[in-house]
């Protein structure tokens, strides 16, 4: 059994690597445009595939299904509300980003506010990716693979700690090779191939799971059995005692989604590489349609696992791997594990590629060596990328023991998501707010949220309000504070957002109609399951 699992795993993993190499091995990676922005050549299928797979790592597959195992359907907010953010990215943020011709978000802040803002934002991103994002991707991937492949039996290693470290380092090294030797286009191509496998495998798990829940009588019988057994867990509107109470959809949950999809360097770097605004908008809105399917393979399996295994004492973050291992035949288990490795690698190498972009263009060339050649900038990014990869591989195993991986991820992300989002929005919507206001927003926001999370007596605020309401309140304070500073001490000259002619900025004619359809579908999904 385990031999077939291992053989199919190695076959499908190698196949993706081979196809990716065949497509991208002649790419010119000697300059920053080719290495960090894929030569600004990405078409909408590659943008959509890469956006989807950068997002769909195991912190989503394992973490979100684990949250659904604990709380039910209400955690679908992280998928469905994301569609609203993607609409705003397509119609508002992306035209402005491409007008600036930027490769990183801090570059936009430098053009709008000044070099100090760019430096602070770069440091925030780099620290957050090193200690939060990259380690969580590796840890959640290792946990998921251990469950799917039954690695203790497969490897003969009985120590869970030793196995966790080995899995983390194995995945981390492979991901680093993809990201640091291949550049953004290699990441985008492998993402798109893996996206196909992930969707096929994800829906296959749902089909087999519903069939099992219906005692082999088909998916309709399985769904009916779940509705009868746990109707209270199929409510799209979360209760106050759950991870995503429904009022937070309009406050912190929306703002965190908005940052993640419109301002997070790891995600939007592939949109910066669009060959035109039209292609970028098509890719972003196609991603929106795919995200509407997200609850089917990112939430429903957790509910199915609860139906089948709630009495077996498994933890939420073990539920998805446990479900896959028990439902799939050995050769398909290996295939799906390969797809999951692809998902892990996608998020890890995308974050690592963005990390090298931020360091190379913002820190190395921006501060340390302004006269550096294109090749020197690329080489510096590769070296720094290995440093970040090793740091993440060291930190990842230390995350063991979290109650809910996905809730932990969103909680920690808010520390830097909210301040950067506030500064970007104020920067784009105003002309005279000065750099001092942006510095207040970035530094003050992190201090306020961190104090509210960790520092007595300030953390007492979380006893009287939900954490997502709290971070939304901080967002409002930051925006008002920056506007006040702009009123008291405005810039001498109004900021002019220049078009650097990097790409064709003609918008896609279908962007607005498709955006409206997506928003209608969001409300329809919530209404259909509101109880």
């Amino acid at each position: 059994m385990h031999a077939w699992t291992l053989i199919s795993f190695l076959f499908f993993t190698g196949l993706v690597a081979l196809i990716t190499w065949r497509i991208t091995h002649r790419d010119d990676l000697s300059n920053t445009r080719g290495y960090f922005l894929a030569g600004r050549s990405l078409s909408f299928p590659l943008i959509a595939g890469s956006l989807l797979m950068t997002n769909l790592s195991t912190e989503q597959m394992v973490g979100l299904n684990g949250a659904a195992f604990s709380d039910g359907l209400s955690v679908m907010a992280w998928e469905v509300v994301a569609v609203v953010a993607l609409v705003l990215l397509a119609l508002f943020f992306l035209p402005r980003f491409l007008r600036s011709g930027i490769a990183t978000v801090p570059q936009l802040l430098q053009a709008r506010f000044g070099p100090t803002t760019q430096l602070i934002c770069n440091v925030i991103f780099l620290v957050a990716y090193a200690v939060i994002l990259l380690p969580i991707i590796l840890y959640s991937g290792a946990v998921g693979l251990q469950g799917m492949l039954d690695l203790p039996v497969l490897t003969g290693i009985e120590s869970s700690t030793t196995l966790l470290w080995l899995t983390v380092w194995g995945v981390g090294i492979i991901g680093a090779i993809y990201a640091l030797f291949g550049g953004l286009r290699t990441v985008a191509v492998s993402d798109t191939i893996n996206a196909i496998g992930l969707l096929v495998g994800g829906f296959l798990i749902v089909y087999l799971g519903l069939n099992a829940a219906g005692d082999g009588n088909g998916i309709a019988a399985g769904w009916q059995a779940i509705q009868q057994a746990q109707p209270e867990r199929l409510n799209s509107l979360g209760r106050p005692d759950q991870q995503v109470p429904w009022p937070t959809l309009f406050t912190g949950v929306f703002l965190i989604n908005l940052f993640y999809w419109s301002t997070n360097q790891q995600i939007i770097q592939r949109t910066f590489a669009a060959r035109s605004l039209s292609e970028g908008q098509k890719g972003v809105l196609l991603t929106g349609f795919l995200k509407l399917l997200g609850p089917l393979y990112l939430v429903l399996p957790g509910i199915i696992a609860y139906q089948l295994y709630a009495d077996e004492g498994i933890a939420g973050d073990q539920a998805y791997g446990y479900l896959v291992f028990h439902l799939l035949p050995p050769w398909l288990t290996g295939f799906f594990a390969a797809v999951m490795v692809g998902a892990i690698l996608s998020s890890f190498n995308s974050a690592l590629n963005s990390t090298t972009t931020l360091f190379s263009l913002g820190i190395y060339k921006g501060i340390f060596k302004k006269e550096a050649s294109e090749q020197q900038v690329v080489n510096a990014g590769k070296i720094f990328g290995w440093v970040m990869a090793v740091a993440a591989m060291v930190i990842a195993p230390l995350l063991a023991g979290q109650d809910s991986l996905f809730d932990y991820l969103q909680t920690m992300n808010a520390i830097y998501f909210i301040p950067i989002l506030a500064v970007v929005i104020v920067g784009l919507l105003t002309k005279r707010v000065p750099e001092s206001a942006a510095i207040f927003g970035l530094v003050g926001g992190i201090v306020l949220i961190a104090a509210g999370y960790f520092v007595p007596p300030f953390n007492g605020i979380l006893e009287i309000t939900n954490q997502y309401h709290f971070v939304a309140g901080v967002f409002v304070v930051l925006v008002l504070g920056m506007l006040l500073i702009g009123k008291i001490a405005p810039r001498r000259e109004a900021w002019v957002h220049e078009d650097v002619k990097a790409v064709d900025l003609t918008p896609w004619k279908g962007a607005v109609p498709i955006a409206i359809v997506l928003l209608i579908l969001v409300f329809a999904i919530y209404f259909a399951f509101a109880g």
Side-chain angles (χ1 to χ4, degrees), residues 63-124:
L64 194 51
N65 276 302
F69 182 87
S70 302
D71 280 3
L73 189 63
S74 62
V75 299
M76 76 173 192
W78 297 112
E79 289 300 295
V80 180
V81 176
V83 178
V84 181
L86 283 162
V87 166
L88 289 172
L89 170 60
L91 300 184
F92 175 77
F93 289 97
L94 188 58
R96 289 160 175 79
F97 291 154
L98 295 182
R99 173 183 291 272
S100 301
I102 55 174
T104 70
V105 172
Q107 285 181 336
L108 174 70
L109 296 184
Q110 179 173 23
R112 170 61 181 86
F113 292 110
T116 304
T117 307
Q118 179 266 139
L119 175 61
I120 294 172
C121 188
N122 259 311
V123 171
I124 291 171

Side-chain angles (χ1 to χ4, degrees), residues 52 68 73 123 159 197 202-204 238-239 256 266 320 343-344 373 398 441 461 483 512:
L52 186 69
L73 189 63
V123 171
S159 169
F203 285 117
L204 180 61
R239 301 190 308 269
I256 290 173
Q266 175 210 10
Y320 193 70
I344 301 162
S373 67
L398 306 179
I461 192 170
L483 293 177
V512 173

Side-chain angles (χ1 to χ4, degrees), residues 496-529:
V496 177
H497 196 175
E498 297 181 1
D499 180 3
V500 301
K501 309 294 183 183
V503 296
D504 179 10
L505 292 179
T506 305
W508 179 40
K509 293 180 180 179
V512 173
I514 294 298
I516 293 171
V517 171
L518 284 171
L519 294 178
I520 291 172
L521 290 174
V522 167
F523 285 105
I525 290 171
Y526 261 98
F527 181 78
F529 291 97

Side-chain angles (χ1 to χ4, degrees), residues 297-308:
Y297 55 89
L298 290 174
V299 177
L300 185 54
I303 297 172
I304 294 171
Y306 185 89
Q307 178 81 4
L308 297 175

Side-chain angles (χ1 to χ4, degrees), residues 397-413:
L398 306 179
L399 297 176
Q402 296 296 326
D403 291 334
S404 172
L405 188 65
F406 198 78
D407 190 50
Y408 171 78
L409 174 66
Q410 302 303 340
T411 299
M412 297 302 293
N413 278 344

Side-chain angles (χ1 to χ4, degrees), residues 8 15 110 195 236 326 447 480 513:
S8 62
L15 183 63
Q110 179 173 23
S236 60
H326 283 82
V447 170
L480 293 178

